[in-house]
Amino acid sequence: MAEDRAAFTPLTDQKSFERAMSLDIKDVVHDLVDMLGLSLVAVIAGVGETRAVQQWMKDREPQRPQTLRFALQVALMITESTDGSMVRAWFQGSNPQLDDLTPALMLRNQPLADVQGPIIAAAREFAAR
Amino acid sequence: MCVTESLFMAYSLPESAPPAFIQVSAPLAEVVEVYDDVDIATADALGEAIQRATDAATSNQSVVVDLTNCKYIDTKGLMQLTNAHRALGKHRFWVVMPLKSSHRRLFDIAGLIGLMNTAASLDDIPHG
C-alpha cells in the first residue's frame, strides 16, 4: 500500500469502509499516521506514548485494532487531497454535531459501539458540505 | 479469528484509557503533549506523565509540556507544572502554548509568566 500513501482522496462510505477493513493492521496504522500524525493516533488508540504507535508499524499488534480501522474509515471519508491538517483538525475539534465533544477523545474514552454511529453521521455531514 | 471473537473485540468495553497526555521523544526534548483537560481529576496523571518524561530524558534533553491542544487547565494543573519547574530548573523545563492561548492569561494571573519558561511552539525553544 506504499504507493497509495502519497495522496489520500476522499472516499465514499462504502469504499472507505472496504479499504479500512481490508488493509493489514500495520498499513492501517501507517495510513493513519500519515494523515493524523503519531500523537493523534496515540490519543485515538488509548495509549500514552507515540513509541507504542511506532511499534505497531513494525511488529506489535495494537490493543484496539477495530478503533483504529474505524478511525481510518472516517479519515478517508473526510480527507481532502494531501493536506492532513484539515483531517487532524476535524478529529481534534469540538464538534457541534457531537455535543461539542472531540472525536479523538470520544474514540479514546468511550466504547466503540457507543460512538461509531454519531461519529460516522458527523463525518458524512462534513464530507457532504 | 472467528466471527464471535471479532464481534467481541468490536463491541467489548475498552480498558479505561488514561488521560490523553502523550509522551513524544524528540531529539532535544522529551515532550508531553496534552490533549485532555487538566483538572482535579487528571492533574495527578499529568504529574506522572511529566515524571515519566523526566526519567526518559537524557542530560542533553529538556522536558516540555505542550499545551497547544489542551482546552482547559486549572490551578491543579499549574501546580504540577510548577512542581516540574522546581524539580528540573529553568534550564530544562518548558511549557509550550500558542501566543493567543487562553492559558497565557491564567499563567499571567498566577505570576508564572517570566518565572517559568514558555514558548509559542516547540521550534521556539532554544537548545544548547
Side-chain angles (χ1 to χ4, degrees):
Chain A
M1 295 295 159
E3 66 280 6
D4 294 331
R5 293 198 195 110
F8 292 102
T9 53
L11 300 179
T12 60
D13 280 13
Q14 187 62 31
K15 291 269 186 226
S16 60
F17 172 78
E18 288 171 3
R19 182 180 172 105
M21 296 304 135
S22 62
L23 285 177
D24 182 85
I25 191 64
K26 283 191 189 55
D27 292 321
V28 170
V29 177
H30 266 295
D31 283 1
L32 274 175
V33 169
D34 279 350
M35 284 193 278
L36 302 179
L38 282 166
S39 298
L40 200 48
V41 175
V43 171
I44 290 168
V47 295
E49 49 184 354
T50 56
R51 187 171 49 184
V53 180
Q54 289 170 322
Q55 288 172 342
W56 299 336
M57 292 195 280
K58 293 177 186 169
D59 52 9
R60 293 267 181 97
E61 289 276 333
Q63 295 93 325
R64 302 170 71 194
Q66 291 302 105
T67 300
L68 294 173
R69 290 187 185 278
F70 177 72
L72 179 61
Q73 177 186 349
V74 171
L76 288 170
M77 286 170 65
I78 64 174
T79 191
E80 281 184 357
S81 71
T82 57
D83 182 3
S85 61
M86 186 273 293
V87 183
R88 285 193 293 275
W90 192 90
F91 273 88
Q92 288 180 236
S94 297
N95 194 311
Q97 286 196 286
L98 299 171
D99 294 329
D100 295 336
L101 295 177
T102 303
L105 291 177
M106 288 174 72
L107 288 167
R108 181 183 181 89
N109 297 325
Q110 299 181 47
L112 183 60
D114 291 351
V115 302
Q116 275 178 311
I119 290 178
I120 275 281
R124 271 196 202 109
E125 185 78 21
F126 185 81
R129 76 198 190 288
Chain B
M1 186 186 297
C2 72
V3 169
T4 308
E5 284 172 322
S6 62
L7 282 173
F8 179 78
M9 282 183 66
Y11 294 105
S12 59
L13 287 174
E15 291 178 21
S16 294
F21 307 142
I22 308 299
Q23 185 177 338
V24 182
S25 296
L28 294 171
E30 286 289 326
V31 184
V32 177
E33 295 184 2
V34 177
Y35 288 84
D36 243 321
D37 293 345
V38 185
D39 53 25
I40 190 170
T42 60
D44 284 348
L46 177 61
E48 290 161 8
I50 294 172
Q51 187 59 56
R52 284 193 295 274
T54 302
D55 292 342
T58 65
S59 55
N60 295 330
Q61 287 179 308
S62 303
V63 174
V64 178
V65 174
D66 188 346
L67 299 179
T68 304
N69 297 298
C70 173
K71 293 187 174 65
Y72 177 82
I73 183 168
D74 68 6
T75 54
K76 290 289 185 188
L78 291 191
M79 275 178 55
Q80 295 294 347
L81 298 180
T82 307
N83 290 343
H85 167 75
R86 283 203 197 102
L88 287 160
K90 195 159 186 176
H91 298 294
R92 288 193 71 207
F93 181 68
W94 287 79
V95 176
V96 167
M97 48 188 165
L99 286 172
K100 293 191 177 177
S101 163
S102 57
H103 305 320
R104 282 195 177 264
R105 177 155 170 75
L106 180 64
F107 269 63
D108 195 19
I109 291 169
L112 295 178
I113 299 288
L115 173 70
M116 200 177 287
N117 289 324
T118 61
S121 72
L122 278 173
D123 291 336
D124 291 337
I125 296 176
H127 294 287

